Amino acid sequence: LLSLKLESRTKGKLQKQICQVVLDHFEKQYAVELGDAWTSVRDVLTHPFCWQYAVLLNKFSQSAELESTLRAKGYHPAFQGPLPYLPASLKCYIRRNPGRFPAQKHQAGKLKGYYLLNAASLLPVLALEVKDGEDVLDLCAAPGGKSVAMLQCAYPGQFHCNEYHDLRSRWLKQTIESFIPDPLINLITVSKLDGRQIGDLKPEFYDKVLVDAPCSNDRSWLFSSDVQQATLRLIQRKELSSLQFQLLRSAIRALRPGGSLVYSTCTLSKAENSDVINLVLSSCSDVVPVDMREMAKAVSQEFTFLGGTEQHELLVLPEKGRAWGPMYLAKLKKTSST
């Protein structure tokens, strides 16, 4: 009964917070870009009580009890299909029912057992295919979930997590301290550099680069409590694609020939997704797109993808029972020196 009361209170609270200015803007844009799919996507995005949360286990703080608790609560392992890349050490649990597993508080000197996240956030990590000994850059790493996930998959030679924004950089450091044990932490460099400059500072240094770019975060923007701030965000939204393009160019410079790059955002916006990738492909002769259809097929049980996209890109559309995303990702490979 108490949980029902809490849920109805949460429903009421979250329902009231929808920012009409943002919703109107999305209606105009996404009805055109997504067509009929927008109606069901909007239903999920505007009703947080149907959102789902995945539980990513921390292999550095393993607990058999945790896995049996998750199973008892109706969770099952995600990613059952024959994925091209799925390390056994990456364990993620999901369930069809909405709701969030209890979060763990940060305690200095104590590792957390799991990380709560949108299951679609793991797709860029799976697409990047990090192997032991590779030098890896997470260019826009805060809050750190994808960095933590990459370290569940492999032991990089050098692992560079960068976050330019001051507050988010502190958040990133705390996440890494909460999940990664001491000996491994020494392999991780956390920096606060302007991501647009890393390509010049570290040319052709990395085997793999993740660009989880700053974007219009559709889920959180819909619940902006400050209308003025929301309006300003929508005005500044037009400038994001330019920043994303510059970050990608920098990432390409930082990549070794033969290395791979994954670009991701948590927005549905075409201007910040395929338009940015198309601009990179048309202006950078040293990168080629990488086909991700095999990966998409292997995870089609868990995720709904927008149809009609290019073979090197995926856009996860949230729907009821599979309320993951929005998450856009595209994969590129560097062919030669710049």
Side-chain angles (χ1 to χ4, degrees), residues 103-134:
Q104 292 176 306
K105 285 192 170 66
H106 173 72
Q107 290 175 274
K110 190 168 183 216
L111 293 182
K112 291 186 180 182
Y114 57 88
Y115 190 98
L116 301 179
L117 78 177
N118 185 322
S121 300
L122 293 175
L123 293 179
V125 173
L126 293 171
L128 197 58
E129 302 187 23
V130 175
K131 310 279 196 313
D132 286 350
E134 289 182 326

PDB file of all heavy atoms in Angstrom, residues 103-134:
ATOM      1  N   ALA A 103      18.850   2.925  -5.288  1.00  0.00           N
ATOM      2  CA  ALA A 103      20.206   3.427  -5.589  1.00  0.00           C
ATOM      3  C   ALA A 103      21.109   3.232  -4.371  1.00  0.00           C
ATOM      4  O   ALA A 103      20.626   3.113  -3.244  1.00  0.00           O
ATOM      5  CB  ALA A 103      20.137   4.899  -5.952  1.00  0.00           C
ATOM      6  N   GLN A 104      22.414   3.187  -4.605  1.00  0.00           N
ATOM      7  CA  GLN A 104      23.388   3.086  -3.514  1.00  0.00           C
ATOM      8  C   GLN A 104      24.066   4.440  -3.314  1.00  0.00           C
ATOM      9  O   GLN A 104      24.421   5.102  -4.285  1.00  0.00           O
ATOM     10  CB  GLN A 104      24.458   2.039  -3.849  1.00  0.00           C
ATOM     11  CG  GLN A 104      23.944   0.616  -3.872  1.00  0.00           C
ATOM     12  CD  GLN A 104      25.038  -0.362  -4.299  1.00  0.00           C
ATOM     13  OE1 GLN A 104      25.659  -0.196  -5.343  1.00  0.00           O
ATOM     14  NE2 GLN A 104      25.271  -1.383  -3.507  1.00  0.00           N
ATOM     15  N   LYS A 105      24.261   4.817  -2.055  1.00  0.00           N
ATOM     16  CA  LYS A 105      24.926   6.085  -1.762  1.00  0.00           C
ATOM     17  C   LYS A 105      26.448   5.928  -1.909  1.00  0.00           C
ATOM     18  O   LYS A 105      26.992   4.865  -1.674  1.00  0.00           O
ATOM     19  CB  LYS A 105      24.604   6.540  -0.339  1.00  0.00           C
ATOM     20  CG  LYS A 105      23.192   7.100  -0.196  1.00  0.00           C
ATOM     21  CD  LYS A 105      23.026   7.814   1.141  1.00  0.00           C
ATOM     22  CE  LYS A 105      21.715   8.591   1.205  1.00  0.00           C
ATOM     23  NZ  LYS A 105      20.544   7.717   1.173  1.00  0.00           N
ATOM     24  N   HIS A 106      27.096   7.040  -2.262  1.00  0.00           N
ATOM     25  CA  HIS A 106      28.567   7.055  -2.350  1.00  0.00           C
ATOM     26  C   HIS A 106      29.146   7.005  -0.934  1.00  0.00           C
ATOM     27  O   HIS A 106      28.781   7.795  -0.068  1.00  0.00           O
ATOM     28  CB  HIS A 106      29.016   8.339  -3.058  1.00  0.00           C
ATOM     29  CG  HIS A 106      30.507   8.538  -3.056  1.00  0.00           C
ATOM     30  ND1 HIS A 106      31.360   7.779  -3.825  1.00  0.00           N
ATOM     31  CD2 HIS A 106      31.298   9.406  -2.360  1.00  0.00           C
ATOM     32  CE1 HIS A 106      32.605   8.172  -3.611  1.00  0.00           C
ATOM     33  NE2 HIS A 106      32.591   9.151  -2.730  1.00  0.00           N
ATOM     34  N   GLN A 107      30.041   6.039  -0.700  1.00  0.00           N
ATOM     35  CA  GLN A 107      30.740   5.957   0.582  1.00  0.00           C
ATOM     36  C   GLN A 107      32.237   5.892   0.304  1.00  0.00           C
ATOM     37  O   GLN A 107      32.686   4.985  -0.409  1.00  0.00           O
ATOM     38  CB  GLN A 107      30.322   4.692   1.347  1.00  0.00           C
ATOM     39  CG  GLN A 107      28.896   4.731   1.862  1.00  0.00           C
ATOM     40  CD  GLN A 107      28.519   3.404   2.509  1.00  0.00           C
ATOM     41  OE1 GLN A 107      28.093   2.481   1.837  1.00  0.00           O
ATOM     42  NE2 GLN A 107      28.706   3.308   3.817  1.00  0.00           N
ATOM     43  N   ALA A 108      32.959   6.850   0.839  1.00  0.00           N
ATOM     44  CA  ALA A 108      34.414   6.899   0.588  1.00  0.00           C
ATOM     45  C   ALA A 108      35.058   5.576   0.983  1.00  0.00           C
ATOM     46  O   ALA A 108      34.788   5.035   2.055  1.00  0.00           O
ATOM     47  CB  ALA A 108      35.026   8.059   1.367  1.00  0.00           C
ATOM     48  N   GLY A 109      35.881   5.055   0.099  1.00  0.00           N
ATOM     49  CA  GLY A 109      36.613   3.825   0.382  1.00  0.00           C
ATOM     50  C   GLY A 109      35.817   2.539   0.203  1.00  0.00           C
ATOM     51  O   GLY A 109      36.333   1.453   0.424  1.00  0.00           O
ATOM     52  N   LYS A 110      34.542   2.653  -0.204  1.00  0.00           N
ATOM     53  CA  LYS A 110      33.720   1.455  -0.385  1.00  0.00           C
ATOM     54  C   LYS A 110      33.170   1.416  -1.807  1.00  0.00           C
ATOM     55  O   LYS A 110      32.603   2.390  -2.296  1.00  0.00           O
ATOM     56  CB  LYS A 110      32.573   1.456   0.627  1.00  0.00           C
ATOM     57  CG  LYS A 110      31.840   0.130   0.638  1.00  0.00           C
ATOM     58  CD  LYS A 110      30.891   0.017   1.822  1.00  0.00           C
ATOM     59  CE  LYS A 110      30.255  -1.366   1.801  1.00  0.00           C
ATOM     60  NZ  LYS A 110      28.892  -1.409   2.230  1.00  0.00           N
ATOM     61  N   LEU A 111      33.367   0.285  -2.480  1.00  0.00           N
ATOM     62  CA  LEU A 111      32.893   0.158  -3.864  1.00  0.00           C
ATOM     63  C   LEU A 111      31.404  -0.157  -3.908  1.00  0.00           C
ATOM     64  O   LEU A 111      30.903  -0.940  -3.101  1.00  0.00           O
ATOM     65  CB  LEU A 111      33.659  -0.955  -4.593  1.00  0.00           C
ATOM     66  CG  LEU A 111      35.149  -0.738  -4.849  1.00  0.00           C
ATOM     67  CD1 LEU A 111      35.726  -1.929  -5.613  1.00  0.00           C
ATOM     68  CD2 LEU A 111      35.407   0.555  -5.615  1.00  0.00           C
ATOM     69  N   LYS A 112      30.730   0.446  -4.880  1.00  0.00           N
ATOM     70  CA  LYS A 112      29.311   0.133  -5.096  1.00  0.00           C
ATOM     71  C   LYS A 112      29.188  -1.182  -5.854  1.00  0.00           C
ATOM     72  O   LYS A 112      30.060  -1.547  -6.637  1.00  0.00           O
ATOM     73  CB  LYS A 112      28.643   1.256  -5.893  1.00  0.00           C
ATOM     74  CG  LYS A 112      28.502   2.560  -5.124  1.00  0.00           C
ATOM     75  CD  LYS A 112      27.706   3.569  -5.935  1.00  0.00           C
ATOM     76  CE  LYS A 112      27.542   4.887  -5.192  1.00  0.00           C
ATOM     77  NZ  LYS A 112      26.728   5.843  -5.953  1.00  0.00           N
ATOM     78  N   GLY A 113      28.068  -1.854  -5.643  1.00  0.00           N
ATOM     79  CA  GLY A 113      27.847  -3.152  -6.278  1.00  0.00           C
ATOM     80  C   GLY A 113      27.210  -3.060  -7.651  1.00  0.00           C
ATOM     81  O   GLY A 113      27.279  -4.003  -8.441  1.00  0.00           O
ATOM     82  N   TYR A 114      26.583  -1.920  -7.944  1.00  0.00           N
ATOM     83  CA  TYR A 114      25.884  -1.793  -9.227  1.00  0.00           C
ATOM     84  C   TYR A 114      25.648  -0.324  -9.576  1.00  0.00           C
ATOM     85  O   TYR A 114      25.726   0.556  -8.714  1.00  0.00           O
ATOM     86  CB  TYR A 114      24.553  -2.552  -9.200  1.00  0.00           C
ATOM     87  CG  TYR A 114      23.611  -2.125  -8.085  1.00  0.00           C
ATOM     88  CD1 TYR A 114      22.704  -1.081  -8.263  1.00  0.00           C
ATOM     89  CD2 TYR A 114      23.640  -2.766  -6.842  1.00  0.00           C
ATOM     90  CE1 TYR A 114      21.855  -0.688  -7.232  1.00  0.00           C
ATOM     91  CE2 TYR A 114      22.792  -2.381  -5.810  1.00  0.00           C
ATOM     92  CZ  TYR A 114      21.900  -1.339  -6.009  1.00  0.00           C
ATOM     93  OH  TYR A 114      21.072  -0.935  -4.995  1.00  0.00           O
ATOM     94  N   TYR A 115      25.355  -0.106 -10.860  1.00  0.00           N
ATOM     95  CA  TYR A 115      25.105   1.242 -11.400  1.00  0.00           C
ATOM     96  C   TYR A 115      23.749   1.202 -12.103  1.00  0.00           C
ATOM     97  O   TYR A 115      23.514   0.319 -12.927  1.00  0.00           O
ATOM     98  CB  TYR A 115      26.219   1.586 -12.395  1.00  0.00           C
ATOM     99  CG  TYR A 115      26.246   3.019 -12.876  1.00  0.00           C
ATOM    100  CD1 TYR A 115      27.099   3.952 -12.294  1.00  0.00           C
ATOM    101  CD2 TYR A 115      25.441   3.450 -13.932  1.00  0.00           C
ATOM    102  CE1 TYR A 115      27.147   5.271 -12.745  1.00  0.00           C
ATOM    103  CE2 TYR A 115      25.484   4.768 -14.383  1.00  0.00           C
ATOM    104  CZ  TYR A 115      26.340   5.677 -13.777  1.00  0.00           C
ATOM    105  OH  TYR A 115      26.371   6.983 -14.222  1.00  0.00           O
ATOM    106  N   LEU A 116      22.872   2.135 -11.766  1.00  0.00           N
ATOM    107  CA  LEU A 116      21.556   2.198 -12.422  1.00  0.00           C
ATOM    108  C   LEU A 116      21.649   3.081 -13.659  1.00  0.00           C
ATOM    109  O   LEU A 116      22.202   4.180 -13.609  1.00  0.00           O
ATOM    110  CB  LEU A 116      20.513   2.778 -11.463  1.00  0.00           C
ATOM    111  CG  LEU A 116      20.304   2.028 -10.142  1.00  0.00           C
ATOM    112  CD1 LEU A 116      19.263   2.735  -9.293  1.00  0.00           C
ATOM    113  CD2 LEU A 116      19.888   0.583 -10.395  1.00  0.00           C
ATOM    114  N   LEU A 117      21.114   2.592 -14.767  1.00  0.00           N
ATOM    115  CA  LEU A 117      21.227   3.375 -16.004  1.00  0.00           C
ATOM    116  C   LEU A 117      20.146   2.976 -17.005  1.00  0.00           C
ATOM    117  O   LEU A 117      19.421   1.998 -16.823  1.00  0.00           O
ATOM    118  CB  LEU A 117      22.615   3.210 -16.622  1.00  0.00           C
ATOM    119  CG  LEU A 117      22.980   1.942 -17.403  1.00  0.00           C
ATOM    120  CD1 LEU A 117      24.394   2.081 -17.953  1.00  0.00           C
ATOM    121  CD2 LEU A 117      22.888   0.665 -16.605  1.00  0.00           C
ATOM    122  N   ASN A 118      20.034   3.775 -18.047  1.00  0.00           N
ATOM    123  CA  ASN A 118      19.177   3.460 -19.181  1.00  0.00           C
ATOM    124  C   ASN A 118      19.912   2.374 -19.982  1.00  0.00           C
ATOM    125  O   ASN A 118      21.053   2.581 -20.384  1.00  0.00           O
ATOM    126  CB  ASN A 118      19.018   4.752 -20.007  1.00  0.00           C
ATOM    127  CG  ASN A 118      18.054   4.607 -21.162  1.00  0.00           C
ATOM    128  OD1 ASN A 118      18.000   3.577 -21.829  1.00  0.00           O
ATOM    129  ND2 ASN A 118      17.302   5.663 -21.412  1.00  0.00           N
ATOM    130  N   ALA A 119      19.287   1.231 -20.185  1.00  0.00           N
ATOM    131  CA  ALA A 119      19.988   0.105 -20.837  1.00  0.00           C
ATOM    132  C   ALA A 119      20.564   0.489 -22.200  1.00  0.00           C
ATOM    133  O   ALA A 119      21.598  -0.048 -22.619  1.00  0.00           O
ATOM    134  CB  ALA A 119      19.044  -1.085 -20.979  1.00  0.00           C
ATOM    135  N   ALA A 120      19.920   1.443 -22.887  1.00  0.00           N
ATOM    136  CA  ALA A 120      20.419   1.869 -24.204  1.00  0.00           C
ATOM    137  C   ALA A 120      21.787   2.539 -24.100  1.00  0.00           C
ATOM    138  O   ALA A 120      22.538   2.587 -25.074  1.00  0.00           O
ATOM    139  CB  ALA A 120      19.420   2.818 -24.864  1.00  0.00           C
ATOM    140  N   SER A 121      22.139   3.027 -22.901  1.00  0.00           N
ATOM    141  CA  SER A 121      23.450   3.667 -22.702  1.00  0.00           C
ATOM    142  C   SER A 121      24.597   2.687 -22.894  1.00  0.00           C
ATOM    143  O   SER A 121      25.743   3.094 -23.083  1.00  0.00           O
ATOM    144  CB  SER A 121      23.563   4.235 -21.286  1.00  0.00           C
ATOM    145  OG  SER A 121      22.576   5.194 -21.066  1.00  0.00           O
ATOM    146  N   LEU A 122      24.313   1.384 -22.810  1.00  0.00           N
ATOM    147  CA  LEU A 122      25.373   0.387 -22.984  1.00  0.00           C
ATOM    148  C   LEU A 122      25.655   0.092 -24.457  1.00  0.00           C
ATOM    149  O   LEU A 122      26.688  -0.485 -24.781  1.00  0.00           O
ATOM    150  CB  LEU A 122      25.003  -0.908 -22.250  1.00  0.00           C
ATOM    151  CG  LEU A 122      24.970  -0.791 -20.724  1.00  0.00           C
ATOM    152  CD1 LEU A 122      24.485  -2.086 -20.105  1.00  0.00           C
ATOM    153  CD2 LEU A 122      26.342  -0.423 -20.161  1.00  0.00           C
ATOM    154  N   LEU A 123      24.746   0.484 -25.338  1.00  0.00           N
ATOM    155  CA  LEU A 123      24.950   0.185 -26.761  1.00  0.00           C
ATOM    156  C   LEU A 123      26.206   0.860 -27.333  1.00  0.00           C
ATOM    157  O   LEU A 123      26.957   0.217 -28.068  1.00  0.00           O
ATOM    158  CB  LEU A 123      23.708   0.557 -27.575  1.00  0.00           C
ATOM    159  CG  LEU A 123      22.458  -0.293 -27.274  1.00  0.00           C
ATOM    160  CD1 LEU A 123      21.283   0.169 -28.113  1.00  0.00           C
ATOM    161  CD2 LEU A 123      22.725  -1.782 -27.517  1.00  0.00           C
ATOM    162  N   PRO A 124      26.486   2.137 -27.028  1.00  0.00           N
ATOM    163  CA  PRO A 124      27.743   2.726 -27.520  1.00  0.00           C
ATOM    164  C   PRO A 124      28.974   1.966 -27.018  1.00  0.00           C
ATOM    165  O   PRO A 124      29.963   1.833 -27.746  1.00  0.00           O
ATOM    166  CB  PRO A 124      27.706   4.157 -26.963  1.00  0.00           C
ATOM    167  CG  PRO A 124      26.261   4.447 -26.752  1.00  0.00           C
ATOM    168  CD  PRO A 124      25.649   3.141 -26.346  1.00  0.00           C
ATOM    169  N   VAL A 125      28.914   1.457 -25.776  1.00  0.00           N
ATOM    170  CA  VAL A 125      30.034   0.701 -25.205  1.00  0.00           C
ATOM    171  C   VAL A 125      30.208  -0.619 -25.956  1.00  0.00           C
ATOM    172  O   VAL A 125      31.326  -1.004 -26.320  1.00  0.00           O
ATOM    173  CB  VAL A 125      29.786   0.448 -23.694  1.00  0.00           C
ATOM    174  CG1 VAL A 125      30.849  -0.473 -23.114  1.00  0.00           C
ATOM    175  CG2 VAL A 125      29.759   1.773 -22.933  1.00  0.00           C
ATOM    176  N   LEU A 126      29.103  -1.310 -26.227  1.00  0.00           N
ATOM    177  CA  LEU A 126      29.167  -2.573 -26.968  1.00  0.00           C
ATOM    178  C   LEU A 126      29.638  -2.340 -28.404  1.00  0.00           C
ATOM    179  O   LEU A 126      30.360  -3.156 -28.967  1.00  0.00           O
ATOM    180  CB  LEU A 126      27.803  -3.266 -26.955  1.00  0.00           C
ATOM    181  CG  LEU A 126      27.336  -3.764 -25.576  1.00  0.00           C
ATOM    182  CD1 LEU A 126      25.884  -4.235 -25.641  1.00  0.00           C
ATOM    183  CD2 LEU A 126      28.229  -4.875 -25.060  1.00  0.00           C
ATOM    184  N   ALA A 127      29.236  -1.204 -28.980  1.00  0.00           N
ATOM    185  CA  ALA A 127      29.639  -0.881 -30.360  1.00  0.00           C
ATOM    186  C   ALA A 127      31.135  -0.560 -30.439  1.00  0.00           C
ATOM    187  O   ALA A 127      31.783  -0.841 -31.450  1.00  0.00           O
ATOM    188  CB  ALA A 127      28.825   0.299 -30.883  1.00  0.00           C
ATOM    189  N   LEU A 128      31.697   0.002 -29.372  1.00  0.00           N
ATOM    190  CA  LEU A 128      33.107   0.408 -29.382  1.00  0.00           C
ATOM    191  C   LEU A 128      34.056  -0.797 -29.318  1.00  0.00           C
ATOM    192  O   LEU A 128      35.180  -0.730 -29.820  1.00  0.00           O
ATOM    193  CB  LEU A 128      33.382   1.382 -28.234  1.00  0.00           C
ATOM    194  CG  LEU A 128      34.664   2.206 -28.313  1.00  0.00           C
ATOM    195  CD1 LEU A 128      34.722   3.048 -29.584  1.00  0.00           C
ATOM    196  CD2 LEU A 128      34.815   3.100 -27.088  1.00  0.00           C
ATOM    197  N   GLU A 129      33.614  -1.890 -28.691  1.00  0.00           N
ATOM    198  CA  GLU A 129      34.382  -3.146 -28.670  1.00  0.00           C
ATOM    199  C   GLU A 129      35.797  -2.977 -28.096  1.00  0.00           C
ATOM    200  O   GLU A 129      36.801  -3.321 -28.729  1.00  0.00           O
ATOM    201  CB  GLU A 129      34.457  -3.768 -30.080  1.00  0.00           C
ATOM    202  CG  GLU A 129      33.098  -4.056 -30.674  1.00  0.00           C
ATOM    203  CD  GLU A 129      33.162  -4.833 -31.991  1.00  0.00           C
ATOM    204  OE1 GLU A 129      34.169  -5.514 -32.246  1.00  0.00           O
ATOM    205  OE2 GLU A 129      32.192  -4.763 -32.751  1.00  0.00           O
ATOM    206  N   VAL A 130      35.877  -2.453 -26.893  1.00  0.00           N
ATOM    207  CA  VAL A 130      37.181  -2.236 -26.246  1.00  0.00           C
ATOM    208  C   VAL A 130      37.824  -3.576 -25.872  1.00  0.00           C
ATOM    209  O   VAL A 130      37.175  -4.450 -25.301  1.00  0.00           O
ATOM    210  CB  VAL A 130      37.023  -1.355 -24.981  1.00  0.00           C
ATOM    211  CG1 VAL A 130      38.351  -1.226 -24.237  1.00  0.00           C
ATOM    212  CG2 VAL A 130      36.509   0.027 -25.355  1.00  0.00           C
ATOM    213  N   LYS A 131      39.098  -3.712 -26.212  1.00  0.00           N
ATOM    214  CA  LYS A 131      39.851  -4.946 -25.907  1.00  0.00           C
ATOM    215  C   LYS A 131      40.945  -4.640 -24.874  1.00  0.00           C
ATOM    216  O   LYS A 131      41.387  -3.492 -24.745  1.00  0.00           O
ATOM    217  CB  LYS A 131      40.535  -5.495 -27.174  1.00  0.00           C
ATOM    218  CG  LYS A 131      39.631  -5.629 -28.400  1.00  0.00           C
ATOM    219  CD  LYS A 131      38.800  -6.886 -28.355  1.00  0.00           C
ATOM    220  CE  LYS A 131      38.167  -7.273 -29.680  1.00  0.00           C
ATOM    221  NZ  LYS A 131      37.494  -6.240 -30.444  1.00  0.00           N
ATOM    222  N   ASP A 132      41.392  -5.691 -24.180  1.00  0.00           N
ATOM    223  CA  ASP A 132      42.474  -5.534 -23.194  1.00  0.00           C
ATOM    224  C   ASP A 132      43.701  -4.879 -23.844  1.00  0.00           C
ATOM    225  O   ASP A 132      44.075  -5.230 -24.969  1.00  0.00           O
ATOM    226  CB  ASP A 132      42.905  -6.908 -22.652  1.00  0.00           C
ATOM    227  CG  ASP A 132      41.891  -7.500 -21.683  1.00  0.00           C
ATOM    228  OD1 ASP A 132      40.960  -6.769 -21.293  1.00  0.00           O
ATOM    229  OD2 ASP A 132      42.030  -8.690 -21.332  1.00  0.00           O
ATOM    230  N   GLY A 133      44.303  -3.942 -23.121  1.00  0.00           N
ATOM    231  CA  GLY A 133      45.556  -3.337 -23.582  1.00  0.00           C
ATOM    232  C   GLY A 133      45.402  -2.168 -24.525  1.00  0.00           C
ATOM    233  O   GLY A 133      46.381  -1.486 -24.824  1.00  0.00           O
ATOM    234  N   GLU A 134      44.174  -1.900 -25.005  1.00  0.00           N
ATOM    235  CA  GLU A 134      43.988  -0.770 -25.931  1.00  0.00           C
ATOM    236  C   GLU A 134      43.985   0.559 -25.166  1.00  0.00           C
ATOM    237  O   GLU A 134      43.574   0.619 -24.002  1.00  0.00           O
ATOM    238  CB  GLU A 134      42.668  -0.917 -26.696  1.00  0.00           C
ATOM    239  CG  GLU A 134      42.693  -2.037 -27.706  1.00  0.00           C
ATOM    240  CD  GLU A 134      41.403  -2.164 -28.498  1.00  0.00           C
ATOM    241  OE1 GLU A 134      40.310  -1.904 -27.950  1.00  0.00           O
ATOM    242  OE2 GLU A 134      41.484  -2.548 -29.676  1.00  0.00           O
TER     243      GLU A 134
END
